[in-house]
Amino acid sequence: MPKPKVFEKPSGVKDYLPKTVARLRRIEIQVLACMEQWGYRQIMTPTLEYYDTVGVTSSTSDKRLFKLLDHRGTTLVLRSDMTAPIARVVSSLLKDEPLPIRLAYHANVFRAFEEEAGRDAEFFQTGVELVGDASADADAEVIALATAALQAAGISEFKLALGHQGLLNGLLRESLEGQEEAQDQLKQCLLARDYVGYRYFIRNMGVPPEIQNKLEAILELRGGKEVCEKVASYTQDEETRAAVHNLCEIWEALEAYGVSDRMLIDLTMIGHFSYYTGMVFEAYSAQSGFPVASGGRYDNLLQRFERPAPATGFALKTTRILEILGPSVKEDEKRVLLVYDAAHRREAYARASELRSRQGYVVETYRADARETPEIEHTADGKASWSGRVYDEIVLMTDAARGGMGR
Amino acid sequence: MPKPKVFEKPSGVKDYLPKTVARLRRIEIQVLACMEQWGYRQIMTPTLEYYDTVGVTSSTSDKRLFKLLDHRGTTLVLRSDMTAPIARVVSSLLKDEPLPIRLAYHANVFRAFEEEAGRDAEFFQTGVELVGDASADADAEVIALATAALQAAGISEFKLALGHQGLLNGLLRESLEGQEEAQDQLKQCLLARDYVGYRYFIRNMGVPPEIQNKLEAILELRGGKEVCEKVASYTQDEETRAAVHNLCEIWEALEAYGVSDRMLIDLTMIGHFSYYTGMVFEAYSAQSGFPVASGGRYDNLLQRFERPAPATGFALKTTRILEILGPSVKEDEKRVLLVYDAAHRREAYARASELRSRQGYVVETYRADARETPEIEHTADGKASWSGRVYDEIVLMTDAARGGMGR
């Protein structure tokens, strides 16, 4: 196997240069400030977790986990999401804190991908978890916060698709009682958005025509409030009817938040995470084919950490948002270069210090004697260029400059 | 081997709860803003690097690197510092950018430790690299910036010890020409601050008394400007004299920066990193036995990434600074809880939205009907407690509250 070349980095990971970092930082700060206003307090968890605790509990498939061994031979993973680590913290360090608990995070997460897929192996997520509130209002809160967070990130045009894992599971269970494998196969089709495959499968599975029709009708369950009402007629099962009621309640709360006009109910939507139990949602921006946020309710995860509690949350796909946002508006920054010689050193440092104390000033210093000093060039827009770099002002503090400070 | 329990995390890594995160964030933002004012632009590099590029170039000993394999079987490492990754970026993505290049970072780095040592396996560093400036003024700049950054982080009482790898190496080489092993052994003693061992070793190595005296005298080379002058008499070697001259020049520049009263020259100080070639320094706070910052000149590292250039830099030990700083002053924050029922939902959400738009307001909402509502208790300092949590104000928007909003 050839050695990687000195300038190479592993596939799927990135360097972020200053302009990109400035944009990422702005998104991060604005989104976290928004979450903070809704009562979500920021936490940080380690990059490394035990495979046997957070690793197996996370929804990431085993082959996508980055694994390594610690010095005792115990398997560690690089965290693949923040939901499982936060469940661990809620159940340990925060175990005496009363529910509901609202937590926010901005973190890098890791997923090993096949090289060909060209997808990120390390990327940023900014999200929240609301633990200990089973109400429809709690679900509506995280969806409404997701829309506020996307706006804070600078995304204004987006739509949200709202599904319901419990409702979909109920409809499939009712129609295909005892046929778990068939249920799973249909869910796989929906997850892959393979509606042709879905239709083909139900026509060839040997179920009565009325069941076929019912299963096909799931594909049509898309729209607004009317879907809530329509789907009620599809089911007699009590558990499923409770899920319908829950979906209708969430919709009403979303109307109260004033965000329902961005929403589309889509019962074919399946959350990518196996731990979802109730509502699931994804946000799509006009500028990207991929979701820019996703979330859902997961009422069974916390019990795996021995503090059973309902929970709901979402994560912005911050790295993707960074890619679709244009360059940020340059801040009001004034870059100054002070070029000095030995005789003016003290004076130059004092001047630099004074300028740096002013709002928006960035000051570099350069000692010019005893080495070649590049020429200052003046640019068309009134700036000064020196050694290929552009400054708002270049101040010469050298004996050579004689009469003092030129520009 | 027993499985880790569900609430456990790997040894040497930490969860940061909201109060600690708020302090860490404040340090991070203030320090990066300070570095930005000095012209250092922030970059981010991946957590994972190739072992054969950044791994072997970093100064971290092999057994302290966290290693894992990618899907092709190539060895990856979790970055153990930011100096080698930044050298990689300067030599690749930034290869067309003219020198000097000033870069800043805030990053988590990883070092595998023996469990018994109880040291952090993942911790934060906030630092800068100044690439492409060999002058003494560049070294003084990073030292002066380190003092400004420590102050920005909230550390006011600290001292800096200044050594010189090139000068020390020169003195040892002159005295023990050709005896590389003996030189290394003496350096090991100095690194471990084992002055007894150092003295014992030079007395038993069979060198003439005048060499013995000279080597012993190195231990006394501590102090201010006078050390610069004194050490000049110790050497005839041209290279070593150049190092003396460099140290004196750095001192003069530090005087011009007005930071020399915090400094102590200590030629027995050895940088922990094998790549240091010139000045090295460490900062010590009154509140900690460990250094809170360290840095130095490394003129040979960049050539390993095929863009030969002199370089100097430092890193704050941000996790340690976080530990020694007291809790930060609470910001002017007003926490409000709105408790509502179905009939007041829309009104409650509108109120929450309006309050969140005000500076410093944090607003949580709680739907209270159809579940048990805890009692509101009033605390002595005029706040309201509800379900074990304290708010500045609790607003009841329910039919039960009748006459409307109580406190």
Side-chain angles (χ1 to χ4, degrees), chain B residues 165-299:
Chain B
Q165 204 82 355
L167 177 46
L168 180 71
N169 287 341
L171 292 175
L172 293 177
R173 196 177 53 232
E174 246 182 283
S175 303
L176 300 168
E177 205 164 349
Q179 305 176 56
E180 274 80 16
E181 209 175 303
Q183 294 174 30
D184 275 350
Q185 219 142 355
L186 288 179
K187 281 193 256 182
Q188 283 308 316
C189 290
L190 293 180
L191 190 58
R193 298 187 193 279
D194 175 13
Y195 306 128
V196 174
Y198 182 93
R199 285 203 171 87
Y200 178 86
F201 190 75
I202 55 177
R203 278 174 200 161
N204 291 279
M205 65 200 301
V207 292
E210 69 270 22
I211 300 284
Q212 272 191 39
N213 291 341
K214 204 166 154 182
L215 289 171
E216 283 211 28
I218 289 177
L219 296 185
E220 310 306 323
L221 288 172
R222 298 186 199 186
K225 195 176 189 171
E226 72 282 3
V227 175
C228 297
E229 287 145 17
K230 198 166 159 192
V231 74
S233 69
Y234 278 54
T235 176
Q236 305 306 321
D237 177 83
E238 200 162 326
E239 211 177 315
T240 314
R241 293 187 77 88
V244 174
H245 180 69
N246 179 243
L247 181 66
C248 297
E249 273 219 309
I250 293 170
W251 187 267
E252 275 171 33
L254 290 170
E255 285 179 333
Y257 270 116
V259 298
S260 57
D261 51 343
R262 290 190 184 273
M263 311 284 312
L264 182 79
I265 294 174
D266 179 354
L267 283 189
T268 67
M269 211 197 66
I270 291 205
H272 277 268
F273 292 164
S274 53
Y275 48 56
Y276 285 140
T277 55
M279 74 86 184
V280 290
F281 73 99
E282 284 184 343
Y284 292 87
S285 142
Q287 299 113 295
S288 172
F290 295 102
V292 288
S294 68
R297 173 167 286 283
Y298 52 101
D299 285 348

Side-chain angles (χ1 to χ4, degrees), chain A residues 26-46:
Chain A
R26 192 162 307 131
I27 295 172
E28 174 190 342
I29 287 167
Q30 288 170 351
V31 170
L32 287 170
C34 169
M35 292 166 171
E36 179 76 25
Q37 288 175 322
W38 289 57
Y40 291 79
R41 296 164 305 147
Q42 203 191 147
I43 73 164
M44 292 169 72
T45 67

Side-chain angles (χ1 to χ4, degrees), chain A residues 321-376:
Chain A
I321 290 171
L322 182 66
E323 284 159 8
I324 62 179
L325 284 181
S328 57
V329 184
K330 187 113 196 274
E331 275 174 47
D332 197 21
E333 181 185 275
K334 198 165 162 72
R335 297 190 82 87
V336 178
L337 177 68
L338 302 182
V339 181
Y340 65 94
D341 59 15
H344 296 81
R345 179 155 60 184
R346 202 172 285 261
E347 191 185 334
Y349 291 172
R351 179 81 180 272
S353 176
E354 192 271 316
L355 288 175
R356 284 177 189 135
S357 69
R358 298 189 196 175
Q359 180 65 33
Y361 269 79
V362 172
V363 184
E364 292 176 23
T365 61
Y366 188 82
R367 179 155 168 191
D369 54 346
R371 46 184 170 177
E372 207 182 328
T373 303
E375 284 283 305
I376 297 172

